[in-house]
């Protein structure tokens, strides 16, 4: 049988109760099955024989219940795990012979009691004489035991197969979840060092020219790092916090810009309850400052973020200065591929990402459906 190498999630309490009561209801119906016979049949049987019938069948039914759980928890799971059909089908006749033997022993005990009863009453009950003369290998008795045994064995096998398939499906979902979580963690780690490397270079440049803005840049960087350490670890963050972090990053980049460079950041007020996957916008903005700002010529970076009818719209536009198309793709490929993969993982079928590059203008349009994200 399939055995997951990691602990399976705890089953909900209602599911456990459902399975428990399903077993209880099934066995109650199984034990009560003789009572569905027409009432005149019971009236034709002597009372002592009805009592013996219920006592003996109760013992046999308990044995069949044992066969049910033996097959449910051991035989069929072993067959699914080892594919050893020979051992499985060898166990079938052995278990059936065991049931027949126990049924025979119980029948012999009943007959001994009935003979004792007959000797005490000195009666000549034709029905009792017929019972005492019954054959162990009577076709009707064999057929009844075979049908009952087959129903018990088939039902437990089907239950075991269904349980195994459900466990397999649940485990596959758990594996997919763990794989996705691990992949997203790696993608985030790929973003953070890249951003940190570029920012430290900016701070080094400010320190080299002995700019008074170096201290401000260090404070901005510390706030950004604090955000990454304590907020990005969550699957989702408040959009307001993400926007604050984005503004800190833009302010940090402005410290080194040429006076002719223009940065436009427009973010409307958002509801506090709006949450998104963290660091979705940072790669695009970082790309805009890396390739869209010239050290001497006028340049402009435009960033807009808005939410309307639970749809988030993010645009980022920048000029391109003296970069060949293959060089631009090579320089921005890592960050853009990371964010594209994260969008596919967290917003499947609920996002639109359009990236355009006409050699002079590089633009990004991202739409997120927050109703399903």
């Amino acid at each position: 049988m399939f055995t997951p190498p990691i602990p399976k999630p705890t089953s909900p309490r209602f599911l456990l109760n459902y399975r428990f009561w399903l077993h209880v209801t099934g066995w109650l119906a199984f034990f009560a099955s003789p009572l569905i016979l027409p009432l005149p049949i019971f009236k034709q049987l002597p009372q002592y024989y009805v009592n013996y019938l219920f006592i003996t069948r109760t013992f046999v039914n308990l044995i069949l219940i044992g066969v049910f759980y033996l097959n449910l928890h051991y035989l069929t799971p072993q067959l699914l795990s080892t594919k050893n059909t020979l051992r499985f089908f060898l166990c079938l006749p052995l278990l059936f012979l065991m049931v027949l033997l126990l049924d025979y022993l119980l029948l012999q005990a009943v007959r001994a009691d009935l003979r004792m009863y007959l000797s005490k009453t000195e009666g000549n009950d034709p029905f009792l004489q017929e019972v005492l003369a019954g054959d162990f290998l009577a076709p009707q008795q064999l057929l009844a035991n075979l049908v009952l045994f087959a129903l018990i064995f088939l039902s437990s096998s089907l239950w075991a197969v269904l349980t195994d398939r459900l466990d397999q499906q649940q485990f596959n979902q758990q594996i997919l979840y763990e794989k996705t979580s691990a992949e997203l963690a790696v993608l985030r780690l790929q973003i953070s060092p890249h951003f940190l490397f570029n920012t430290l270079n900016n701070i080094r440049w400010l320190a080299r020219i002995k700019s008074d803005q170096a201290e401000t840049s260090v404070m901005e960087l510390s706030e950004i790092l604090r955000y990454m350490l304590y907020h990005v670890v969550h699957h989702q963050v408040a959009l307001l916090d993400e926007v604050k972090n984005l503004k800190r990053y833009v302010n940090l980049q402005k410290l080194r810009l040429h006076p002719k460079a223009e940065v436009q950041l427009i973010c409307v007020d958002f509801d506090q309850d709006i949450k998104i996957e963290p660091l979705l916008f940072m790669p695009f903005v970082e790309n805009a400052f890396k390739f869209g700002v010239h050290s001497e010529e006028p340049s402009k970076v435009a960033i807009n973020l808005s939410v309307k009818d639970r749809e988030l719209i993010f645009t980022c536009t920048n000029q391109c200065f003296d970069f060949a198309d293959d060089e631009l793709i090579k320089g921005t490929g890592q960050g853009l591929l990371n964010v594209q993969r994260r969008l596919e993982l967290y917003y499947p079928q609920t996002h639109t990402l359009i990236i355009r590059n006409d050699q002079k203008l590089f633009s990004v349009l991202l739409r997120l459906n927050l109703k399903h994200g």
Side-chain angles (χ1 to χ4, degrees):
M1 184 177 178
F2 181 79
T3 304
I6 60 176
K8 293 182 292 185
T10 304
S11 299
R13 185 178 299 275
F14 78 89
L15 184 58
L16 292 176
N17 291 338
Y18 166 76
R19 291 183 177 180
F20 170 78
W21 288 113
L22 185 61
H23 280 264
V24 171
T25 305
W27 292 128
L28 287 177
F30 177 67
F31 276 101
S33 57
L35 298 178
I36 65 176
L37 295 174
L39 186 61
I41 293 180
F42 285 101
K43 291 183 177 180
Q44 294 175 4
L45 300 177
Q47 184 61 41
Y48 59 81
Y49 185 73
V50 173
N51 295 338
Y52 279 120
L53 176 64
F54 276 102
I55 293 174
T56 55
R57 292 316 304 175
T58 297
F59 278 105
V60 174
N61 288 344
L62 289 175
I63 295 169
L64 291 173
I65 290 175
V67 171
F68 178 91
Y69 286 109
L70 176 66
N71 183 47
L72 176 64
H73 295 295
Y74 180 74
L75 294 180
T76 298
Q78 284 293 315
L79 174 64
L80 296 174
S81 177
T82 64
K83 308 300 181 182
N84 191 340
T85 56
L86 178 61
R87 183 175 62 180
F88 179 78
F89 287 106
L90 283 177
C91 290
L92 289 180
L94 292 178
L95 287 174
F96 182 62
L97 289 176
M98 182 192 70
V99 172
L100 289 180
L101 179 60
L102 292 173
D103 190 22
Y104 171 73
L105 294 176
L106 288 171
L107 183 60
Q108 290 299 99
V110 169
R111 286 175 176 174
D113 287 343
L114 291 178
R115 288 190 183 97
M116 186 178 298
Y117 170 80
L118 186 61
S119 63
K120 290 180 179 180
T121 58
E122 297 182 355
N124 188 18
D125 190 337
F127 183 85
L128 187 56
Q129 295 292 342
E130 183 181 353
V131 171
L132 293 176
D135 187 7
F136 166 62
L137 296 177
Q140 293 180 350
Q141 184 72 10
L142 281 175
L143 181 61
N145 285 324
L146 179 61
V147 171
L148 197 56
F149 179 84
L151 290 175
I152 289 293
F153 210 86
L154 285 176
S155 61
S156 58
S157 294
L158 290 175
W159 190 297
V161 171
L162 178 61
T163 301
D164 181 71
R165 294 297 178 267
L166 291 176
D167 289 343
Q168 175 77 44
Q169 183 180 9
Q170 185 179 15
F171 177 68
N172 290 337
Q173 292 176 349
Q174 183 69 17
I175 287 295
L176 179 61
Y177 171 79
E178 296 294 340
K179 179 182 177 182
T180 302
S181 299
E183 187 173 355
L184 287 172
V186 171
L187 293 176
R188 287 170 178 169
L189 289 175
Q190 289 175 341
I191 292 174
S192 300
H194 187 231
F195 158 73
L196 186 60
F197 174 78
N198 291 337
T199 305
L200 289 176
N201 277 339
N202 295 339
I203 295 175
R204 183 184 64 175
W205 177 77
L206 291 173
R208 180 177 296 176
I209 64 175
K210 301 185 185 305
S211 172
D212 294 336
Q213 296 176 330
E215 182 179 356
T216 303
S217 64
V218 172
M219 294 300 297
E220 294 285 359
L221 177 60
S222 66
E223 290 297 326
I224 292 175
L225 292 178
R226 182 179 293 108
Y227 176 79
M228 287 187 171
L229 288 173
Y230 298 107
H231 291 78
V232 173
V233 294
H234 303 292
H235 289 299
Q236 288 192 329
V237 297
L239 180 58
L240 285 175
D241 294 336
E242 186 72 7
V243 170
K244 289 178 182 178
N245 183 67
L246 188 62
K247 289 180 178 179
R248 292 191 187 102
Y249 177 81
V250 171
N251 292 335
L252 192 61
Q253 294 290 350
K254 283 181 179 179
L255 296 176
R256 68 174 182 86
L257 294 183
H258 189 271
K260 294 183 180 180
E262 179 184 355
V263 178
Q264 183 184 69
L265 175 61
I266 301 177
C267 300
V268 300
D269 294 333
F270 307 106
D271 294 336
Q272 184 65 41
D273 62 341
I274 298 179
K275 295 184 180 296
I276 63 169
E277 166 70 8
L279 300 180
L280 284 180
F281 315 123
M282 187 69 73
F284 303 122
V285 177
E286 188 177 15
N287 173 77
F289 280 105
K290 184 177 181 181
F291 297 101
V293 176
H294 201 277
S295 58
E296 296 179 359
E297 299 180 13
S299 52
K300 181 178 179 180
V301 174
I303 305 168
N304 292 272
L305 187 61
S306 62
V307 176
K308 184 178 180 181
D309 297 329
R310 300 297 292 183
E311 182 185 44
L312 184 147
I313 303 175
F314 169 81
T315 61
C316 184
T317 306
N318 62 272
Q319 297 166 274
C320 298
F321 292 98
D322 300 329
F323 286 102
D325 186 60
D326 57 344
E327 186 179 4
L328 182 62
I329 294 176
K330 181 179 179 181
T332 62
Q334 184 66 42
L336 296 185
L337 288 176
N338 283 351
V339 73
Q340 286 175 350
R341 180 57 179 153
R342 295 173 65 211
L343 286 169
E344 292 172 359
L345 291 171
Y346 263 101
Y347 299 93
Q349 310 300 323
T350 60
H351 79 278
T352 302
L353 178 62
I354 302 175
I355 300 178
R356 291 191 176 94
N357 177 24
D358 59 4
Q359 305 297 327
K360 294 183 178 180
L361 197 66
F362 190 91
S363 63
V364 175
L365 170 62
L366 173 63
R367 293 177 178 268
L368 293 181
N369 188 341
L370 300 178
K371 295 179 180 179
H372 305 94

